[in-house]
Amino acid sequence: MKKFKRTSFAQKQKAVESDETNKEIQKDIADNIEILEDLFKDCSDIVFRPILAGRVKAYLLFVDGFIDSSSIEMHGIRQLIEDLESERITADIIKERVVSISSVDETPKLDEVVSNVLKGNTVLLVDGVTKAIIFDAKGGNRRGVSEPTTESVIRGPREGFTEALRPNTALVRHKIRSNRLKILSKDIGEETKTGIAILYVEGLAQPELLEEVLSRLDRIKIDGILESGYIEEFIEDSPWSTFPQVQNTERPDTVAANLLEGRVAIIVDGTPFVLIIPATFWQFFQSNEDYYSRFHIYTFLRLLRVFFLFIAMTLPGIYVAVTTFHQEMIPTSLLFSIAASREAIPFPMFFEALIMEISFEALREAGVRLPQVVGQAVGILGALVIGSAAVEAGIVSAPTVIIVSITGIASFTIPRYNMSMSIRMLRFPLMILGGMFGLFGVVLGTLLVLTHLCKLRSFGIPYFWPVAPISFKSLKDVLVRVPWWAMDRRPSQLVKEDRTRQADNLMPSPPKVGEEGSS
């Protein structure tokens, strides 16, 4: 019996649209408008603006709300078409004499007309001309450049990316004013046709890295891309790992700094979060301010962040393990204090710590989801009230509340939110191991995490580099931040040829006694 392949309505509709849009633009403008009106049927936001200049008919097509109507210069177009009426109108003449906008293109295909209208461009169709004129008059209501909320700094630029693609690329171009900064464009998403831009510095980014990035992007076949997080999940090396393998940022200065180190950035239209690849573990513990202020201070702060990383990940597990299996490790006076506080507690230490950790995470999540004015009050007051009430009610002990509070504060010291989330997740399995096997379980879990980190790669770059594999020359910008005059080379894993960042002998030195200008 012959089997028939069922075709969905969407597939049939795409086939019909494909047949229509593959056509060439006809001389008779009525035929073109009939096809386009059929394709944009029930699309009330698509504007077909007729222009009648003498005996010449023309149409402007655009999406209402996407364009700046004042820049279209409707009356100028009408007047100049009337002036050209006696001549033989061609696309080249229109481009030169009618449209006075910098970005102008032309196309003979109807599918290009449809695509450009949906991207927010304006299309001009003129009767008797077999090419459409495409020009950029984007405008409408867009959020302006403002300070990023997730990466605020005390010292440094206050500008952040917006949801518009081209203003975002312009912010990066403003930082790197070199013709070596290349920007490639692609569209991803069968329905959304989301525009993305791939940025790299020619001569710094390795060709193999760029080729791999483009290859992974080409493999993405999906109906829509609404945020850069979609792309991040499709292109990362190890999707089952809890650790982020692609850095995201809202700051143009962060993108510019990483491009100058040989990395590649991906800007997605519709989101202010830009992806930076490849990423290493230590990138997520570096803040923008590390490079804008005194290196002594931020070397200390980096070491502090790494210390609190281990506190945020292992402290609850160590506390449960020591109080459950290794009481002999606790000083006698402290042991008596803990025992007295837990005398009326009905739960084992593991469940007590687990209850408080889950409550703390619930309060933090509630504070994020609520309106900003209310969320901060709920997060702070909720933790204080619930913690005090739980201790007074005899549900948890005071030392447990202190341990959970220190752990929560430690996780806030991690500059990147996605890495902070990963560390917060790992504390729960380490607590379980500590409750089951004591310190042996905590150490075993920590070793498994370190082994996993050493095995991870991000676009071919070892995730734990330059610590594993060790690279002593690249350790200048990991646990410590040496002065700028000492960071004279770019990372060896990222840049193979042009590794010189600055001139030699830039270390400042005081003037010698007796020289002009010395006191």
Side-chain angles (χ1 to χ4, degrees), residues 62-178:
F62 54 88
V63 179
D64 190 16
F66 271 19
I67 59 97
D68 181 10
S69 57
S70 63
S71 68
I72 296 180
E73 302 178 3
M74 304 281 294
H75 300 291
I77 292 176
R78 179 182 289 108
Q79 182 62 45
L80 287 171
I81 290 179
E82 288 178 353
D83 295 342
L84 293 171
E85 186 181 354
S86 59
E87 305 178 16
R88 184 174 179 274
I89 300 178
T90 63
D92 292 334
I93 294 177
I94 296 173
K95 286 171 63 177
E96 293 174 3
R97 299 177 59 182
V98 178
V99 183
S100 57
I101 297 177
S102 59
S103 177
V104 184
D105 201 357
E106 63 181 44
T107 179
K109 294 282 189 179
L110 279 174
D111 60 343
E112 292 292 330
V113 171
V114 174
S115 176
N116 279 277
V117 169
L118 294 175
K119 287 179 181 178
N121 294 323
T122 303
V123 177
L124 174 64
L125 293 170
V126 181
D127 193 22
V129 179
T130 57
K131 291 183 179 180
I133 306 302
I134 302 165
F135 53 96
D136 187 358
K138 291 188 179 74
N141 297 322
R142 290 278 186 172
R143 182 172 69 91
V145 176
S146 58
E147 184 176 1
T149 56
T150 59
E151 298 175 78
S152 58
V153 295
I154 298 174
R155 177 177 180 177
R158 304 293 181 182
E159 58 189 3
F161 289 116
T162 68
E163 285 75 16
L165 180 64
R166 284 308 164 197
N168 288 345
T169 59
L171 286 171
V172 180
R173 179 71 71 179
H174 182 72
K175 299 289 183 184
I176 305 178
R177 303 177 185 181
S178 169

Side-chain angles (χ1 to χ4, degrees), residues 30 32-42 48 59:
N32 300 324
I33 296 301
E34 181 181 359
I35 295 174
L36 292 170
E37 285 181 339
D38 183 58
L39 290 171
F40 289 120
K41 183 181 179 181
D42 297 331
F48 288 77
Y59 271 87

Side-chain angles (χ1 to χ4, degrees), residues 499-512:
R499 293 194 55 213
T500 302
R501 190 198 297 268
Q502 60 191 18
D504 295 331
N505 301 321
L506 291 184
M507 179 181 178
S509 57
K512 296 179 181 179

Side-chain angles (χ1 to χ4, degrees), residues 199-210:
L199 286 71
Y200 68 98
V201 177
E202 189 177 37
L204 298 184
Q206 295 186 56
E208 297 82 4
L209 172 62
L210 180 62

